[in-house]
Amino acid sequence: MDRMGSPVTNTLPIRNLGLTPEEEREIRMACIRIPHLAVSPQAQTYARLDAGEPPRRFRYRNVASGFTADLMVDDEGLVVDHPGLWRRRG
């Protein structure tokens, strides 16, 4: 489930996919548009961009729109920086 604008939106797929370095995978999500609560299917891809352990960088892409974002995660795989949308403080 993709709740647009929420930091956990990308965290769940990143943690669940278990991508290896340079691996990319496409998934289908149920996208919930806020504030309307309209639900629609959405194809997304996630790619792991680094070879470090734990992994720190991933690329998200919305297949339909072509929107991409390079995401940074912490030691637990929680997205801490989504350029242009939000960044964790502290």
Side-chain angles (χ1 to χ4, degrees):
M1 181 182 332
D2 186 338
R3 287 181 252 158
M4 295 182 72
S6 169
V8 299
T9 292
N10 303 105
T11 295
L12 295 174
I14 286 171
R15 291 178 79 180
N16 290 331
L17 288 172
L19 299 172
T20 59
E22 300 183 23
E23 180 182 7
E24 179 178 59
R25 201 172 314 162
E26 183 174 311
I27 60 173
R28 292 194 47 88
M29 300 288 282
C31 180
I32 302 172
R33 299 198 183 279
I34 298 174
H36 305 50
L37 301 180
V39 180
S40 60
Q42 182 182 86
Q44 303 175 345
T45 64
Y46 286 88
R48 182 171 164 185
L49 301 178
D50 68 342
E53 288 299 332
R56 298 287 188 174
R57 296 180 50 235
F58 294 85
R59 177 164 293 138
Y60 159 79
R61 181 172 66 94
N62 178 309
V63 173
S65 72
F67 171 81
T68 63
D70 288 353
L71 311 173
M72 297 294 295
V73 302
D74 66 10
D75 288 345
E76 304 301 319
L78 179 66
V79 176
V80 295
D81 186 16
H82 192 304
L85 291 179
W86 45 263
R87 181 181 308 189
R88 181 172 78 184
R89 290 184 165 180

